[in-house]
Amino acid sequence: MAASRNPSRKKSTGGVEAPRLGTVDLQDLSEGDAEALASRESHDALTFADADLSDYDLEGSGFSECLLTGLTLTETKLRGSRFVETVLVDPFASALRAQRTTWRDVRIERPRWGSAELFDSELDSVRVEGGKIDYLNLRSSELTDVVFEGAVIGELDLGGVTARRVAFVDCRIGTIDVTRASLDSVDLRGTGFESVTGLSGLRGAVVDTEQLWLLAPLLAAEIGIVVV
């Protein structure tokens, strides 16, 4: 069943545009054989569960209207793969290799990823719920209508991204790199973070008063103000 965008809440508090997420409704799924997966294959309306796909070559694969539960994806080659109207539950990878991937109308629940390489990717209507990611590399990706909620991210690389209507809700982030980022309605309010690299790239982000106090000395240093 096709995902539909929720037209409600076009504006969040403060006049910031809120993400517009599709609703993924998975029905009548057939059981797939995860261990038989191979590169450049397309999979529709299937469920794959509790399989270790470490080191598998799944480059260029397509998953549409699928449910992926409890999969181990350590060093799985996912370059150029597409995930559409798909739900991932409890995915694990000490090293996720998913560069140049496409994620559209996707929900990811409780990911446990060490190094997650998603640079040069496209994320459109994606929700990440909970989980822990040590290093999330989204460098040079395009993010539209994306929500991270209740996630713990050690290092978030948004260098060179184009992001519109992205929200971080009740997250904890160590460091954020926004060097040369282009942001529009990126909502960081209520999320804790320790430091920011590439401060000028924060243009278009929304922060709360507490976060502004954290950023104040960094902003002063950026423009050469000496605070004594």
Side-chain angles (χ1 to χ4, degrees), residues 28-142:
D28 302 321
L29 302 182
S30 301
E31 185 174 350
D33 182 1
E35 295 181 355
L37 290 171
S39 64
R40 310 191 187 287
E41 294 180 346
S42 295
H43 311 280
D44 301 310
L46 295 173
T47 179
F48 300 96
D50 303 322
D52 186 349
L53 302 179
S54 298
D55 298 313
Y56 273 51
D57 184 357
L58 302 182
E59 286 195 5
S61 298
F63 297 88
S64 179
E65 298 184 53
C66 288
L67 174 61
L68 313 178
T69 303
L71 299 184
T72 297
L73 301 169
T74 298
E75 298 289 354
T76 305
K77 299 177 181 64
L78 290 168
R79 179 188 177 104
S81 294
R82 295 174 57 86
F83 300 85
V84 179
E85 296 174 38
T86 289
V87 177
L88 292 80
V89 179
D90 298 323
F92 171 82
S94 59
L96 183 68
R97 308 302 184 196
Q99 60 270 39
R100 296 184 172 86
T101 43
T102 298
W103 309 73
R104 184 172 294 118
D105 293 313
V106 168
R107 187 170 74 249
I108 305 173
E109 301 178 5
R110 300 178 298 278
R112 291 180 297 139
W113 296 337
S115 172
E117 300 287 350
L118 277 79
F119 58 85
D120 293 330
S121 294
E122 178 186 345
L123 284 70
D124 185 355
S125 183
V126 174
R127 185 180 189 90
V128 180
E129 300 178 356
K132 183 176 185 294
I133 306 171
D134 293 334
Y135 172 58
L136 178 54
N137 182 358
L138 289 166
R139 184 168 287 270
S140 300
S141 294
E142 295 186 10

Side-chain angles (χ1 to χ4, degrees), residues 173-205:
I173 304 173
T175 63
I176 305 175
D177 187 346
V178 287
T179 304
R180 295 186 299 279
S182 176
L183 309 182
D184 181 2
S185 287
V186 174
D187 196 344
L188 295 170
R189 290 173 297 178
T191 282
F193 54 85
E194 297 175 5
S195 64
V196 177
T197 301
L199 283 171
S200 61
L202 275 181
R203 182 186 298 272

